[in-house]
């Protein structure tokens, strides 16, 4: 059974422990600006919502990449940036309709969630279980993916 | 089943891979006219910047990628198509049969009628061969004139500037990237380039290219050892002559990527397909459209039915570190509304175009986080409701608007 | 390391921003944030300078753990000379801007001089520049925040800003960051506005590193997070009720100052308590509290996010106040509510919004209103003074009106903006001011909690609960329960809390962690993050050094030891009800022992031996 990140915004307090854990895992620094997961604040509503890549089955970023720099991690199903191949053209950043691939100005390459190879640091760091890493069936992500693919690509 | 794909660019390669998955027993063949393995023109600027070697431009990393999948890649140039016989003829006279054919021949640089444009000091920047020639001549300290500051010109601009050449850019339009962004955003790009040592001449046409440079209308002369042209591209339609396949700006296709001729499909830069935003048919010579086209054309060619929703015209540009992007109907529509922020001191610009409570287009300079949601909002035709009013007041609240209207928050 | 080792010095007079190296010798003695910035202030300004003149400086400082994953490691402090007390001011805030400063590569920002025109500082990593604040001067914090975010087109920009109250000279104006977190006390916002500095907007993308022992640090951080999660107060109580968990507890033990500290129990406390904030309203079925919220890196998340009932008189015609914003903390609920006798939760929430929106310390504001109410009761203030406002205790409409006026610096709001001490002096009844060294009291009556009397009297920034929170021991039993009514042992308790708190404040952590953490939990995090050996003992030594440095600054500023006292009311008028009925605060039984434990002379002077011991 493939696992996926499950996000429950109702439990999020906006503390950004996930962003620090993510950036520390990936960049070796506590740097929310480089986090692959971002917490958005809905000030007026009083809500916080962590947000990251859902690892679409048929990933738009991957298809749009001109140089085969987004590949699938066979263990986790994650779509992973192959740093050595990414030229930094940013086509994936506009192709991903979820906005979850971002350009890193420091490295000149793009970054996205890679599920930390199957042990996501964000989920471990979250103090309220707003982010958990669970069986994909339970996340509702499949529905979201299907919806995304239909609405963007036609009714295949 | 024999699938034949003409063109080894992203549309052709994506189509071939999808066909292989969808129809494991079929024969899948790509015919491309360049000697290298399928590669990406998108990567050429980065080759010129020496961020990657030629292998880094290849569409697929592994050398045996296609062979492993039973996809045959043949070098050859298709001269003509015989729909009745379901055959194509190559320039060397050989013939290849097909059951279903995909025209994915892409486009080539347009060559405007400028005296001297065929001179030895003039090059386009389109193929790996072009790139090798430019790399040999555009060396540090040399003087280079770039004609055209559209999207492609602007991408090449960065590569040339990073090679340390003395660069002048000449754009006939009133601003840089005139078909991608409005005057304020285009103005920011120009000012940014100038502050980074690039001479930018806008609103002026080229009278002639001479041995020592470029003569502009009005008499100014831009010295250059090398002149590079980036004055637009045209679909490669030559092979269709006599085939009966209908063309306008490109090969006319329906929402299933079919041309008017049975069993012939088209995709990518060469195709004039459905424009998501306008509902009309247009050529969108961009990478995401090529890959989407290639994939969905394959789905239809395999016998499944996938009705295309159309492509959103979009571009992302990095101009010497200044990021900009455009989506859909960035110029707006009659009766629509428009939210705009312009911060010239910080080189930032954001413009959102609405029709009713839906986003239909956008331009941004200096935005590099979550840019893709602009595509998402446009292409889902998301009803923004009250968030549209919030975006009118503060367009930077884009991500919140996206999440609030598309996710459970 | 953990420090970025870089300071940004902003010369407002000349409009320049320059980077300089952090003085690491000082960092090793004073750690960061509160301690280190006080050292800089102490070295760089004349303690006798006019706090609102160009010779005063204002420092925004982070600690070595600020911006790291240490739980609550998002704090920063604003250090300056206070216009309210004339002493050192150090106001600590959470939110996100402290971590952002660190991410931009700065340990602290020192502002000096005075700008000829209103400006704001814009920092993007290494780049820092002063820009015109012409379009945000005169605006509220919330308005300015929106304008700056739009101007820079960056939703992630973190902003600290002063409101209109600061511009108008309110002496307890706060520096508000991230809309509703505040460096609240002692008028640090007033100093900022006096320099024509409206806001500081920061964007940092460089990251926080320089961790001396990364693996050891993450182990210590994770262990610390677990301790917080397992503790009833930090794991449950604060998330559920926020600091408002205290309202019913403190009122229940009759330690709740009420009616300008005349009484010690408030009949309406339950209606303005943390529990009440969870109760659905009859009007719309929603509770006052929408959710709890965490500051940067905080796994406690005590923050309150609330709404005001749309039908309430305070907002019924003001839809701009119908959304969520920072809700009531215990101190605000007490000062705005109990001390004034007002039990209207919506009125208090709205006034709390205004305190955030225009940058007023709700403790000082509420206490000053309470003093005004008592002056009104005594006839010293009349409706002629107030412009027709009836200042009877318990009047929610009067509180709302005064908040609006003080926020804008209009009408009688200008008098309320003076603070309790100056107000009571102005109207001829100085004994009615419930202040120490000019700063208003917080929400624990020292007649019922004896140790707090000593903590207030000796606090280096005037009356304050956050300089030595013996409530933890005397009420909550942390780390050990002591009897709130006895004075024996309280001198040592106060000193221990004061020193430990100074160290926590200097590390970049929130003092609320100490409900669960002892120095045994904190020192390993600092030790792993920072170069050198940071043992428990060294942390406490640093804390004590800081305390002495602050004292030294204050004495040089002209403070005398006879100001280590409490208002007469608390020393002479006995508590009216509860276990402390008949008791006053027995400060004189604790103070001499405290001086002795501090290594100070009997008249409160730092002795040469103590100076030598701490290098002061």
């Amino acid at each position: 059974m493939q696992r996926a990140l499950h996000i429950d915004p109702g439990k999020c307090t906006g503390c950004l422990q996930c962003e620090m854990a993510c950036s520390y895992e990936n960049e070796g620094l506590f740097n929310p600006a480089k986090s692959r997961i971002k917490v958005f604040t809905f000030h007026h509503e009083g809500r916080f919502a962590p947000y990251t890549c859902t690892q679409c089955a048929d990933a738009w970023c991957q298809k749009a990449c001109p140089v085969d720099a987004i590949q699938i991690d066979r263990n986790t199903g994650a779509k992973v940036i192959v740093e050595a191949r990414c030229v930094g053209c940013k086509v994936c950043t506009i192709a991903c309709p979820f906005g979850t691939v971002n350009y890193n100005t420091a490295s000149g390459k793009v970054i996205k969630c890679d599920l930390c190879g199957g042990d996501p640091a964000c989920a471990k760091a979250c103090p309220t279980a707003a982010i958990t890493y669970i069986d994909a069936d339970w996340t509702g992500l499949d529905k979201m993916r299907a919806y995304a693919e239909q609405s963007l690509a036609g009714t295949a | 089943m024999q699938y034949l794909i003409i063109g080894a660019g992203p549309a052709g390669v994506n189509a071939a891979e999808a066909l292989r998955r969808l129809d494991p027993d079929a024969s899948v063949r790509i015919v491309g006219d360049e000697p290298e393995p399928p590669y990406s023109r998108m990567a050429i600027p980065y080759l010129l910047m020496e961020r990657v070697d030629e292998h880094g431009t290849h569409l697929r990393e592994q050398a045996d990628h296609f062979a492993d999948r039973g996809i045959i890649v043949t070098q050859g140039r298709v001269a003509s198509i015989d729909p009745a016989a379901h055959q194509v003829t190559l320039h060397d006279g050989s013939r290849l049969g097909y059951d279903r054919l995909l025209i994915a021949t892409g486009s080539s640089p347009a060559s405007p009628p400028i005296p001297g444009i065929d001179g030895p000091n003039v090059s386009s920047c389109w193929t790996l061969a072009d790139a090798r020639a430019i790399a040999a001549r555009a060396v540090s300290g040399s003087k280079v004139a770039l004609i055209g500051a559209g999207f492609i010109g602007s991408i090449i601009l960065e590569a040339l500037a990073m090679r340390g050449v003395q660069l002048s850019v000449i754009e006939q339009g009133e601003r840089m990237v005139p078909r991608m962004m409005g005057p304020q955003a285009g103005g920011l790009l120009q000012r940014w380039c100038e502050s980074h040592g690039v001479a930018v001449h806008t609103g002026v046409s080229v009278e002639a290219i001479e041995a020592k440079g470029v003569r502009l209308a009005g008499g100014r002369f831009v010295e250059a050892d090398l002149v590079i042209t980036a004055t637009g591209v045209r679909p490669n339609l030559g092979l269709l002559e006599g085939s009966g396949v209908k063309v306008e700006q490109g090969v006319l296709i329906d929402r299933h990527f079919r041309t008017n001729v049975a069993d012939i499909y088209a995709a990518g830069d060469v195709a004039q397909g459905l424009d998501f935003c306008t509902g009309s048919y247009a050529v969108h010579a961009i990478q995401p459209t090529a890959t989407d086209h290639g994939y969905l054309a394959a789905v239809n060619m395999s016998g499944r039915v996938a009705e295309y929703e159309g492509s959103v015209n979009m571009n992302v540009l990095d101009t010497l570190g200044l990021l900009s992007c455009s989506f859909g109907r960035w110029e707006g529509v009659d009766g629509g509304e428009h939210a705009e922020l312009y911060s010239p001191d910080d080189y930032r610009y954001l413009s959102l175009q609405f029709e009713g409570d839906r986003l239909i287009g956008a331009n941004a300079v200096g935005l590099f986080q979550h840019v893709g949601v602009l595509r998402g909002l446009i292409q889902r035709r998301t009803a923004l409701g009250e968030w549209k009013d919030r975006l009118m007041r503060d367009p930077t609240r884009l991500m919140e608007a996206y999440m609030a209207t598309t996710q459970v928050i | 390391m953990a420090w970025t080792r870089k300071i940004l010095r902003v010369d407002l007079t000349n409009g320049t921003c320059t980077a300089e190296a952090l003085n690491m010798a000082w960092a090793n003695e004073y750690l960061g944030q509160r301690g280190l910035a006080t050292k800089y202030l102490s070295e760089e300004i004349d303690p006798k300078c006019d706090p609102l003149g160009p010779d005063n400086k204002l420092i925004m400082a982070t600690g070595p753990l600020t911006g790291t994953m240490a739980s609550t490691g998002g704090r920063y402090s604003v250090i300056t000379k206070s216009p309210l007390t004339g002493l050192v001011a150090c106001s600590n805030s959470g939110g996100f801007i402290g971590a952002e400063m660190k991410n931009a590569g700065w340990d602290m920002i020192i502002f000096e001089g005075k700008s000829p025109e209103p400006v704001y500082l814009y920092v993007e990593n290494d780049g820092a520049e002063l820009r015109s604040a012409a379009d945000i001067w005169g605006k509220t914090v919330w308005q300015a925040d929106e304008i700056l975010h739009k101007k820079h087109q960056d939703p992630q920009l973190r902003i600290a800003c002063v409101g209109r109250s600061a511009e108008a000279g309110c002496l307890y104006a706060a520096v508000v960051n991230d809309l509703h977190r505040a460096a609240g006390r002692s008028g640090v916002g007033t100093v900022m506005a006096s320099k024509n500095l409206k806001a500081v907007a920061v964007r940092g993308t460089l990251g926080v590193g320089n961790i001396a022992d990364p693996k050891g640090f993450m182990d210590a951080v994770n262990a610390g997070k677990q301790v917080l999660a397992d503790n009833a107060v930090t794991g449950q109580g604060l998330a559920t009720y926020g600091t408002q968990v205290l309202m019913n507890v403190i009122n229940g033990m009759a330690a709740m100052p009420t009616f300008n500290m005349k009484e010690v129990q408030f009949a309406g406390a339950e209606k303005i308590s943390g529990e009440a904030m969870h109760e659905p309203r009859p009007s719309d079925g929603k509770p006052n509290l929408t959710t709890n919220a965490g500051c940067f890196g905080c796994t406690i998340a005590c923050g309150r996010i609330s709404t005001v009932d749309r039908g309430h008189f305070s907002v019924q015609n003001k839809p701009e106040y119908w959304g969520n914003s920072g809700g009531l903390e215990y101190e605000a609920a007490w000062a705005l509510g109990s001390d004034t006798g007002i039990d209207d939760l919506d009125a208090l929430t709205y006034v709390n919004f205004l305190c955030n929106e225009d940058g007023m310390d709700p403790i000082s504001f509420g206490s000053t209103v309470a003093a005004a109410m008592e002056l009104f009761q005594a006839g010293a203030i009349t409706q002629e003074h107030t412009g027709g406002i009836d200042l009877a205790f318990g009047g929610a409409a009067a509180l709302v009106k005064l908040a609006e006026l003080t926020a804008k610096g209009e009408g009688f709001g200008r008098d309320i903006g003076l603070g309790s001490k100056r107000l009571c002096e102005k109207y001829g009844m100085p004994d009615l001011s419930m202040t120490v060294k000019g700063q208003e009291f917080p929400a624990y009556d020292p007649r019922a909690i004896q140790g707090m009397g000593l903590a207030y009297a000796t606090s280096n920034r005037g009356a304050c609960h956050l300089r030595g929170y013996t409530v933890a021991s005397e009420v909550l039993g942390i780390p050990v329960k002591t009897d709130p009514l006895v004075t024996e042992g309280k001198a040592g308790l106060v000193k221990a809390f004061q020193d430990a708190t100074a160290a926590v404040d200097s590390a970049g952590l929130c003092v609320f962690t100490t409900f669960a953490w002892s120095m045994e939990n904190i020192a390993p995090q600092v030790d792993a993050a920072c170069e050198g050996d940071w043992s428990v003992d060294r942390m406490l030594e640093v804390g004590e050094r800081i305390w002495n440095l602050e004292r030294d600054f204050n004495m040089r500023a002209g403070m005398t030891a006879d100001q280590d006292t409490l208002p007469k009311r608390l020393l002479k008028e006995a508590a009216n009800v509860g276990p402390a009925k008949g008791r006053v605060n027995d400060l004189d039984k604790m103070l001499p022992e405290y001086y002795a434990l501090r290594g100070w002379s009997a008249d409160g002077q730092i002795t040469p031996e103590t100076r030598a011991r701490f290098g002061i």
Side-chain angles (χ1 to χ4, degrees):
Chain A
M1 173 57 70
Q2 201 124 79
R3 298 208 287 166
L5 285 172
H6 176 57
I7 289 170
D8 180 351
K11 291 181 177 168
C12 179
T13 66
C15 76
L16 311 190
Q17 279 272 333
C18 55
E19 296 189 8
M20 278 187 283
C22 176
S23 57
Y24 191 71
E25 173 82 19
N26 289 292
E27 308 276 333
L29 291 171
F30 302 111
N31 189 358
K34 300 283 193 304
S35 174
R36 281 74 170 149
I37 188 165
K38 287 300 292 178
V39 179
F40 289 90
T41 301
F42 294 79
H43 184 254
H44 189 266
E45 289 79 3
R47 296 283 277 182
F48 305 96
Y51 185 69
T52 191
C53 173
T54 60
Q55 315 295 345
C56 319
D58 225 346
W60 291 94
C61 61
Q62 186 185 17
K63 271 192 297 195
C65 178
V67 291
D68 207 12
I70 302 179
Q71 298 183 4
I72 298 177
D73 178 330
R74 296 206 180 283
N75 292 321
T76 62
K79 312 303 176 293
V80 178
I81 308 291
V82 182
E83 281 249 352
R85 285 199 66 81
C86 176
V87 297
C89 76
K90 309 168 200 70
V91 166
C92 55
T93 70
I94 58 170
C96 169
F98 307 104
T100 55
V101 190
N102 287 316
Y103 181 61
N104 179 353
T105 50
S107 66
K109 297 173 190 293
V110 295
I111 55 179
K112 71 177 287 299
C113 172
D114 62 2
L115 295 176
C116 298
D119 190 14
C122 55
K124 278 190 291 185
C126 179
T128 61
I131 307 166
T132 47
Y133 189 54
I134 59 172
D135 287 349
D137 270 3
W138 292 94
T139 64
L141 284 182
D142 286 345
K143 257 167 74 182
M144 199 170 128
R145 288 172 181 159
Y147 171 68
E149 277 145 36
Q150 259 181 30
S151 64
L152 293 177
T155 47
Chain B
M1 180 66 75
Q2 284 190 76
Y3 297 107
L4 182 62
I5 295 161
I6 311 176
V13 164
N14 269 280
E17 289 169 354
L19 285 167
R20 170 50 67 238
R21 285 198 305 274
L22 294 164
D23 197 346
D25 300 327
S27 149
V28 179
R29 180 193 294 270
I30 300 172
V31 183
D33 64 357
E34 291 185 61
E36 298 86 1
Y39 70 90
S40 168
R41 305 204 194 288
M42 288 287 304
I44 285 178
Y46 305 95
L47 177 68
L48 287 175
M49 291 177 208
E50 294 170 7
R51 275 203 214 167
V52 290
D53 58 12
E54 284 199 15
H55 179 253
T57 70
H58 294 171
L59 282 169
R60 296 297 174 253
E61 181 177 7
Q62 304 300 330
D64 47 9
H65 174 92
F66 298 101
D68 273 359
R69 284 161 180 73
I71 296 170
I72 304 155
V73 182
T74 305
Q75 192 195 343
R77 192 175 182 84
V78 174
S80 64
I81 300 168
D82 180 352
H86 276 57
Q87 278 188 342
V88 304
T89 305
L90 276 59
H91 271 280
D92 65 5
S94 63
R95 296 161 82 84
L96 292 167
Y98 66 84
D99 293 312
R100 301 222 165 99
L101 176 69
L102 181 68
I103 316 285
T105 49
S107 48
S108 299
S111 193
I114 299 171
I117 199 157
D118 297 323
N121 56 336
V122 184
S123 173
S124 59
C125 182
W126 192 243
T127 63
L128 278 176
D130 292 342
R132 289 177 205 123
I134 291 170
R137 296 167 70 179
V139 293
S140 184
S142 63
K143 293 185 183 121
V144 177
L146 173 64
I147 301 176
F151 172 67
I152 293 169
S154 294
I155 285 192
I156 298 167
L157 180 157
E158 165 160 89
L160 292 170
M162 290 179 78
R163 292 185 69 80
V165 305
Q166 289 182 46
L167 184 61
S168 302
V169 182
I170 302 139
E171 166 59 44
Q172 193 168 5
E174 288 302 318
R175 58 180 183 272
M176 292 179 67
V177 285
R179 282 167 299 282
M180 177 178 155
M181 288 189 286
Q184 287 179 319
L188 287 181
L189 258 63
Q190 176 163 353
R191 192 156 59 81
W192 179 269
C193 286
E194 287 166 349
S195 73
H196 286 71
V198 177
V200 183
H201 309 270
T202 51
V204 61
S205 56
V206 173
E207 216 160 68
I209 300 170
E210 300 170 7
K212 297 215 162 149
V214 178
R215 186 161 302 284
L216 305 182
R220 266 186 300 169
F221 189 78
V222 176
E223 281 185 36
D225 310 314
L226 173 64
V227 178
I228 295 172
T229 57
T231 51
V233 294
R234 297 223 173 90
N236 293 322
L237 300 168
L239 75 168
L240 296 171
E241 247 171 71
S243 67
V245 172
K246 201 171 160 194
V247 300
E248 287 180 0
Q249 286 83 46
V251 180
L252 269 180
I253 52 170
D254 66 9
R255 292 182 66 181
H256 301 277
F257 299 88
R258 294 177 296 215
T259 67
N260 63 311
V261 175
D263 297 324
I264 301 182
Y265 297 73
D269 282 14
V270 77
Q272 185 176 344
L274 180 64
D275 179 326
F276 177 89
C277 294
T278 63
S280 61
Y281 284 75
V283 173
H284 284 172
I286 56 173
Q287 166 83 12
T289 296
T291 56
D292 292 359
H293 272 193
Y295 169 70
L296 285 164
V299 172
N300 283 286
M301 289 168 75
S302 74
R304 293 162 179 82
V305 178
E307 193 166 67
Y308 189 42
E309 300 271 309
S311 52
V312 173
N313 207 5
M314 54 188 175
N315 277 307
V316 59
L317 196 58
D318 187 340
T319 313
L320 301 169
L322 184 65
L323 267 61
S324 57
C325 59
S326 82
F327 290 87
R329 308 197 73 172
W330 56 267
E331 73 286 20
V333 293
D334 289 344
E337 284 179 278
H338 173 217
E340 183 178 68
L341 290 174
Y342 177 52
S343 312
D345 292 350
D346 298 309
Y347 289 98
R348 284 195 176 121
Y349 177 78
L350 180 60
S351 155
L352 303 179
Q353 296 286 352
F354 300 95
E355 189 169 31
D357 71 344
R358 289 168 162 81
L359 185 72
I360 55 164
N363 267 163
V365 177
L367 177 78
F368 59 91
Q369 297 286 308
H370 315 293
V371 182
V373 298
L374 288 165
R375 178 191 192 183
L377 285 173
I378 293 169
Q379 207 152 354
R380 286 169 188 225
R381 295 198 168 93
T382 304
L384 289 162
E386 61 159 327
W387 278 96
K388 185 226 163 179
D389 300 325
R390 293 209 210 175
L391 288 175
M392 285 296 291
R393 182 182 163 132
D394 182 358
T396 68
R397 298 283 152 187
L398 195 60
M399 208 40 214
E400 286 99 311
Y402 171 80
M403 290 181 70
T405 52
T406 61
Q407 314 272 307
V408 183
I409 61 142
Chain C
M1 294 195 262
W3 300 278
T4 69
R5 298 176 173 238
K6 263 173 60 196
I7 290 182
L8 178 62
R9 189 176 291 277
V10 180
D11 178 342
L12 291 158
T13 306
N14 296 304
T16 58
C17 300
T18 41
E20 62 185 64
L22 184 72
N23 185 324
M24 285 311 295
W26 291 352
N28 282 317
E29 291 188 331
Y30 292 93
L31 190 52
Q33 203 160 325
R34 173 175 161 186
L36 187 54
T38 302
K39 177 66 175 170
Y40 271 87
L41 189 79
S42 177
E43 295 286 336
E44 294 194 8
I45 74 165
D46 174 359
K48 290 194 162 54
C49 73
D50 173 5
L52 299 179
D55 293 340
N56 194 5
K57 296 190 184 185
L58 181 124
I59 305 176
M60 293 176 69
T62 66
L65 298 189
T66 305
T68 72
M69 211 165 145
S71 184
T72 78
R75 312 294 298 189
Y76 81 108
S77 291
V78 181
I79 294 92
T80 187
K81 180 178 172 178
S82 163
L84 192 67
T85 64
L87 310 177
V88 66
C90 172
S91 293
N92 186 306
S93 180
F96 298 87
I97 195 172
E100 199 74 20
M101 264 173 67
K102 202 74 172 290
N103 266 284
W106 305 103
D107 286 319
M108 54 173 92
I109 306 175
I110 301 179
F111 295 96
E112 52 193 38
K114 175 180 177 173
S115 171
E117 302 290 336
V119 290
Y120 71 97
L121 177 71
Y122 176 57
V123 179
E124 188 178 5
N125 296 333
D126 299 332
E129 58 177 310
L130 291 167
R131 296 194 180 186
S132 170
D135 54 345
I136 50 173
W137 195 260
K139 296 282 196 286
T140 72
V141 170
W142 294 358
Q143 290 164 344
D145 188 279
E146 180 175 340
I147 291 168
L148 289 177
H149 273 110
K150 279 162 71 169
K151 179 188 283 195
H152 291 279
Q153 296 185 39
D154 185 355
Q156 303 292 324
L157 194 66
R158 305 295 189 183
I159 295 166
C161 189
V162 293
R164 295 174 299 178
S165 72
E167 295 175 24
C170 167
L171 288 174
Y172 44 82
V175 177
V176 178
N177 58 279
D178 304 291
L179 295 174
H180 53 74
R181 306 307 310 182
R185 302 226 68 192
S186 312
V188 295
T190 320
V191 175
M192 186 161 148
S194 78
K195 298 190 168 304
N196 265 335
L197 177 65
K198 177 69 176 177
V200 178
V202 185
R203 181 72 158 117
T205 62
L206 302 176
V208 175
N210 288 344
I211 301 296
D213 170 11
K215 176 162 188 318
F217 181 68
M218 291 307 281
D219 288 348
V221 162
N222 288 329
K225 282 169 68 176
Q226 195 60 49
V227 171
L228 293 176
D230 292 342
N231 179 279
V233 177
T234 53
Q236 287 287 330
L238 283 171
T240 308
Y241 296 113
T243 51
Q244 275 273 67
V245 72
L246 289 165
M247 180 64 74
N248 287 330
V249 173
I250 301 295
N251 196 54
M253 65 181 286
M256 169 78 65
T258 304
F259 302 130
N260 198 34
M261 305 192 85
K262 266 193 299 195
E263 298 180 11
V264 292
Q265 202 162 43
F266 179 43
E270 210 171 311
K271 290 167 74 177
I272 59 170
S273 67
E275 289 82 349
M277 290 168 71
H278 279 276
E279 289 295 319
R281 295 185 284 245
S283 57
D284 59 3
K286 289 180 186 162
N288 173 280
L289 181 77
T290 302
T291 186
N292 65 321
C295 294
F296 183 93
C298 177
T299 59
I300 301 172
C302 74
R304 306 288 88 185
I305 303 295
S306 288
T307 56
V308 181
D309 186 336
R310 293 178 185 194
H312 189 262
F313 76 86
S314 60
V315 300
Q316 60 184 350
N317 298 315
K318 299 173 189 157
E320 64 270 31
Y321 294 99
W322 289 357
N324 281 275
S325 194
L328 289 167
E329 313 283 345
Y330 171 57
E331 300 298 333
W334 162 79
L336 303 172
S338 172
D339 206 30
T340 60
I342 297 167
D343 62 5
D344 178 339
L345 183 62
D346 285 300
L348 303 190
T349 304
Y350 171 67
V351 172
N352 194 59
F353 280 11
L354 293 187
C355 285
N356 287 329
E357 181 175 16
D358 264 311
M360 299 183 287
D361 171 9
I363 300 179
S364 288
F365 169 74
S367 299
T368 305
V369 171
M373 286 173 165
E374 193 169 359
L375 288 164
F376 189 82
Q377 199 173 48
I381 289 176
T382 67
Q383 293 203 15
E384 292 197 2
H385 296 115
T386 65
I389 303 168
D390 176 358
L391 277 187
F393 276 109
L399 178 76
V400 164
K401 187 69 193 164
L402 288 181
E404 290 169 351
L405 288 174
T406 310
K408 289 185 280 195
E410 290 176 358
F412 191 65
R414 294 197 76 86
D415 278 359
I416 296 295
L418 294 171
S420 168
K421 176 169 178 277
R422 290 166 179 81
L423 180 82
C424 292
E425 284 168 354
K426 176 172 178 179
Y427 289 97
M429 302 182 78
D431 287 351
L432 293 190
S433 172
M434 295 300 115
T435 50
V436 172
K437 302 183 175 102
Q439 177 155 287
E440 292 75 9
F441 273 84
Y444 311 89
D445 198 292
R447 290 165 293 201
I449 309 173
Q450 291 287 324
M452 285 306 289
L454 179 63
Y456 293 144
T458 58
S459 158
N460 285 330
R461 68 170 188 180
C464 175
H465 55 300
L466 293 173
R467 285 296 174 273
Y469 192 70
T470 60
V471 173
S473 167
E474 295 179 279
V475 178
L476 304 171
I478 300 167
V480 287
K481 184 76 173 79
T482 53
D483 185 338
L485 296 176
V486 305
T487 53
E488 289 76 29
K490 293 296 166 66
L493 190 71
V494 166
K495 176 180 177 294
F497 271 89
Q498 288 174 336
D499 293 346
T501 303
V504 173
D505 285 347
S506 301
L509 300 175
C510 176
V511 73
F512 288 2
T513 56
T514 58
F515 286 118
W517 286 353
S518 70
M519 204 51 81
E520 307 282 343
N521 303 104
I522 294 169
Q525 300 185 56
V526 176
D527 185 53
C530 298
E531 222 170 39
D533 172 35
W534 291 86
S535 63
V536 170
D537 287 347
R538 181 169 174 195
M539 290 291 287
L540 294 175
E541 182 194 315
V542 165
E544 190 168 1
R545 178 177 294 117
I546 293 165
W547 194 266
N548 279 283
L549 180 70
E550 290 173 340
R551 176 81 172 182
D552 179 62
F553 179 96
N554 287 348
M555 295 306 232
R556 287 195 286 135
M559 189 187 88
T560 53
D562 59 14
Q563 290 175 261
D564 293 339
T565 189
L566 299 172
K568 270 189 206 150
R569 170 166 287 168
L570 305 174
L571 298 172
K572 306 279 186 209
E573 296 175 25
N576 60 331
V577 292
K581 187 172 178 180
R583 289 288 300 275
V584 294
N585 184 270
D586 296 321
L587 180 65
D588 55 354
K589 292 187 185 156
M590 301 180 280
L591 193 60
E593 185 189 354
Y594 173 83
Y595 282 171
L597 286 171
R598 278 268 168 234
W600 298 347
S601 66
D603 60 350
Q605 303 298 317
I606 306 173
T607 60
E609 296 74 36
T610 302
R611 284 182 184 280
R613 189 174 153 221
F614 294 110
I616 289 170

